[in-house]
Amino acid sequence: MIGDKDSFLYTRASIEILFASSQGRHSMGYTLLSLATNHLLFLMNKRENNLCTSCNLADESFSHLFGECGITSTVLLDIGQIILGQQFIFTKEDVFFGFKLNLLHPYNFLTFHIKYYIFSQKIKEEVPNVKEFCTSLNLFCN
């Protein structure tokens, strides 16, 4: 299990990445360096392996967690179907940097919360699922 010091690192990293995304920053280097993925934690000898917390099949990098993982990709597709009412594909660029249409665009609000949810599930070492995400979003919006 993750210790208090590591939990702080996770929390701080997730806040930094979400803030950078919400501010429209387009610095992938900043994002990759500030997110405590299992890849980074393994290199720091904080984890026994570098495998993805969700699928347990591949190296957990930022790119994998938010774009290549079969579990999180399915969650993203299902969220698009349920919340937007249509087949909607979030590209890696959309998830990494937000939709460049407008900073206050509702899709940016949604991707912000999707990233927060997926990363918070990673911190708890739980697999993300759509039903729980919708519940957490509903609680946030009420």
Side-chain angles (χ1 to χ4, degrees):
M1 195 65 195
I2 300 167
D4 290 336
K5 191 173 186 180
D6 290 332
S7 296
F8 174 76
L9 174 65
Y10 278 127
T11 304
R12 181 165 183 234
S14 63
I15 290 169
E16 287 177 7
I17 188 171
L18 293 172
F19 181 76
S21 175
S22 71
Q23 296 300 307
R25 293 187 197 158
H26 301 289
S27 173
M28 184 184 279
Y30 174 83
T31 301
L32 290 173
L33 290 175
S34 63
L35 184 67
T37 61
N38 285 347
H39 174 82
L40 178 60
L41 293 172
F42 178 72
L43 293 175
M44 295 168 54
N45 292 319
K46 301 273 185 185
R47 286 281 195 186
E48 292 182 19
N49 65 59
N50 62 351
L51 294 178
C52 175
T53 306
S54 296
C55 71
N56 209 27
L57 296 174
D59 180 27
E60 184 184 85
S61 63
F62 181 81
S63 180
H64 173 79
L65 188 62
F66 292 103
E68 298 161 4
C69 175
I71 303 288
T72 57
S73 295
T74 300
V75 167
L76 286 169
L77 284 172
D78 291 347
I79 287 170
Q81 183 69 41
I82 291 169
I83 293 179
L84 302 175
Q86 60 184 353
Q87 184 69 23
F88 190 85
I89 298 173
F90 292 90
T91 67
K92 274 190 195 179
E93 289 76 20
D94 296 336
V95 176
F96 288 178
F97 308 120
F99 292 83
K100 297 173 191 140
L101 306 170
N102 177 345
L103 180 60
L104 300 176
H105 194 279
Y107 289 173
N108 285 331
F109 174 83
L110 183 59
T111 55
F112 177 86
H113 286 283
I114 290 170
K115 288 189 282 188
Y116 177 80
Y117 171 72
I118 290 172
F119 198 69
S120 65
Q121 290 299 99
K122 177 205 166 357
I123 293 168
K124 295 187 288 187
E125 298 181 355
E126 296 178 4
V127 177
N129 68 72
V130 177
K131 186 182 268 187
E132 188 175 292
F133 171 78
C134 291
T135 301
S136 69
L137 187 62
N138 190 33
L139 291 173
F140 177 81
C141 293
N142 286 330

